[in-house]
Amino acid sequence: MSNLLTQIEDFRTLVTSDTPMFDTRAPVEFAQGAFPHTISLPLMSDKERELVGTCYKQQGQDEAIKLGHKLVQGDIKQSRIKAWTEFIKNNPNGALYCFRGGLRSQITQQWIYEATGIDYPRLKGGYKALRRFLIDETDRIMESVTPIVIGGQTGCGKTLLLDNITPMIDLEGLANHRGSAFGNTTTAQPTQITFENELAVELIKKQDYRHLIFEDEGANVGTVHIPECVKRKTAQADLILLEASTQERISVSMDAYVINMHADFIDQDAENGFNNFANYWLNSLEKIQKRLGLERYKVMKLSVDQALKTQQTTNSFDGFLPIVESLLVDYYDPMYNYQIQKKLDRVVFKGSRSEVSDYIDDLAIS
């Protein structure tokens, strides 16, 4: 019966419509990388998968299938069917998949049909086929699209600008990282595979725009790598420089790296939030110790320690103002000035946030 049940081949519609899916692979496989709008509802646990895999190698497919049915029966089987049917009730227009669209998703699909009469579709070719489709689409779209890159000094408000531009690809948002030593957020970054999958989906959704807007990034955003085709195309693209005064940059940076980060840590864990915020600042500062030099690092660490004490005792963030200003002017600006010299021939426009926004709006309709 399972071979007669529905399979999905139209991956483009699948991803552009944000189809909710559940992944029947083992949790260890899901953790290595998954697709947007997907949760893990495995057919087998990691241990069960390992046992079946060993059996397959030693005794062949038939014995492995028998062992799988023996391991997943009775209450275990019923609890997994219950989890799947709950997902289906909440997501009637969704889908399921395993690694290659083979036995695991076929068995899951069959058990769901037997329990409910619902023909819940599976992805033809499974995870592997959809992953291949997304990699190929990333390459194809980056070949055909005209990217424009937004650059500017640290703290000039590039992210705030990009948040209001529809045809933009938010690499830092997808990577859950702001692309600097202080770029961590309160939650972990995605795996490389998950980042690439989510980037591909964004590109597919926005491929019909005349231009796609990217922020100026290096080869990595935190721990994830920018795909080669994106890196190559954006490295040749026209460059718009967003300009802001030092005071504006201090204000933006105080919001992003001090006030909002503190609030995020407290929201995430009220009891340990302040300590986590303190560790974020001290660990981030340590990452740039070599570039600062030992003496500058020691002075700045003392300043951070004092700013943290002041914040804890008086609830004032003012102690961070001179630290943020020094980091911007003495640390980040010299690096930016060095890097931008290599890119001046690509600069097509410079201006404030409103001027850059107007320039991009004109590009969209020209």
Side-chain angles (χ1 to χ4, degrees):
M1 176 69 205
S2 60
N3 287 330
L4 302 177
L5 295 174
T6 303
Q7 297 187 67
I8 292 176
E9 298 182 63
D10 181 2
F11 292 160
R12 185 168 282 102
T13 300
L14 182 89
V15 298
T16 54
S17 60
D18 296 334
T19 302
M21 296 184 285
F22 72 86
D23 187 328
T24 70
R25 298 176 302 159
V28 67
E29 296 172 280
F30 182 84
Q32 291 168 357
F35 304 115
H37 311 291
T38 304
I39 66 166
S40 175
L41 292 175
L43 173 65
M44 293 186 289
S45 68
D46 291 335
K47 183 63 179 173
E48 289 158 357
R49 171 180 170 264
E50 187 183 339
L51 291 169
V52 169
T54 301
C55 180
Y56 180 86
K57 286 175 189 169
Q58 294 174 349
Q59 300 177 54
Q61 186 183 61
D62 290 345
E63 290 303 313
I65 291 170
K66 282 183 197 171
L67 177 59
H69 282 284
K70 187 177 174 183
L71 291 169
V72 185
Q73 62 174 320
D75 290 346
I76 293 173
K77 177 179 175 180
Q78 290 312 309
S79 71
R80 288 176 195 170
I81 292 173
K82 184 181 176 186
W84 299 332
T85 53
E86 186 67 23
F87 180 90
I88 292 165
K89 187 173 81 175
N90 295 326
N91 304 281
N93 298 314
L96 64 91
Y97 63 87
C98 66
F99 185 59
R100 289 190 182 87
L103 278 171
R104 283 185 285 180
S105 58
Q106 288 176 30
I107 289 168
T108 301
Q109 201 180 28
Q110 181 68 36
W111 287 357
I112 290 167
Y113 183 77
E114 290 168 357
T116 66
I118 295 169
D119 176 7
Y120 203 65
R122 73 180 191 271
L123 302 194
K124 186 170 185 179
Y127 167 89
K128 195 173 182 185
L130 181 52
R131 170 82 174 138
R132 182 74 260 163
F133 168 78
L134 293 177
I135 291 170
D136 291 346
E137 284 294 276
T138 299
D139 286 338
R140 181 188 67 77
I141 292 166
M142 287 310 301
E143 276 303 310
S144 62
V145 79
T146 303
I148 292 175
V149 174
I150 306 283
Q153 293 167 297
T154 301
C156 68
K158 295 185 289 292
T159 300
L160 297 173
L161 170 72
L162 287 164
D163 283 346
N164 293 302
I165 297 172
T166 304
M168 71 94 175
I169 302 296
D170 184 5
L171 293 173
E172 292 187 358
L174 294 170
N176 193 30
H177 196 280
R178 285 184 293 253
S180 72
F182 290 82
N184 290 339
T185 70
T186 58
T187 53
Q189 287 194 253
T191 66
Q192 181 68 29
I193 289 170
T194 296
F195 169 72
E196 290 173 5
N197 290 344
E198 294 189 344
L199 170 58
V201 171
E202 282 299 293
L203 288 169
I204 291 166
K205 287 180 176 180
K206 295 178 177 178
Q207 63 181 307
D208 292 333
Y209 284 104
R210 188 185 297 271
H211 303 280
L212 286 182
I213 315 297
F214 293 79
E215 187 169 340
D216 195 13
E217 303 288 354
N220 308 319
V221 183
T223 56
V224 300
H225 312 299
I226 307 295
E228 191 58 41
C229 61
V230 178
K231 204 165 52 180
R232 184 178 66 250
K233 200 71 183 283
T234 54
Q236 302 162 355
D238 286 351
L239 182 60
I240 297 171
L241 296 184
L242 177 59
E243 297 179 321
S245 69
T246 301
Q247 279 310 118
E248 287 173 311
R249 293 168 57 217
I250 291 169
S251 176
V252 167
S253 300
M254 281 291 293
D255 281 345
Y257 299 100
V258 182
I259 299 165
N260 294 342
M261 281 299 289
H262 179 265
D264 288 347
F265 276 116
I266 298 295
D267 285 346
Q268 189 182 55
D269 182 350
E271 187 179 345
N272 301 302
F274 176 79
N275 287 338
N276 293 336
F277 171 71
N279 287 333
Y280 156 77
W281 259 90
L282 293 168
N283 291 338
S284 299
L285 191 64
E286 195 173 339
K287 289 178 193 171
I288 61 172
Q289 179 180 341
K290 278 187 181 176
R291 282 183 177 271
L292 284 173
L294 187 57
E295 289 309 309
R296 278 171 75 197
Y297 169 74
K298 284 180 178 176
V299 170
M300 193 162 282
K301 185 178 180 303
L302 283 173
S303 297
V304 170
D305 287 335
Q306 187 56 52
L308 288 166
K309 280 181 190 168
T310 301
Q311 199 286 319
Q312 194 172 26
T313 53
T314 69
N315 206 29
S316 168
F317 294 105
D318 288 353
F320 282 96
L321 281 164
I323 297 165
V324 167
E325 181 173 9
S326 177
L327 282 168
L328 290 175
V329 174
D330 301 327
Y331 177 73
Y332 282 108
D333 283 2
M335 286 197 297
Y336 170 81
N337 292 336
Y338 172 75
Q339 291 293 335
I340 202 64
Q341 290 302 316
K342 305 174 190 174
K343 305 174 183 178
L344 288 177
D345 60 322
R346 291 167 44 207
V347 175
V348 294
F349 187 79
K350 299 179 186 179
S352 66
R353 199 183 305 170
S354 62
E355 289 167 338
V356 169
S357 185
D358 289 344
Y359 180 83
I360 291 170
D361 285 345
D362 289 342
L363 277 178
I365 59 174
S366 61

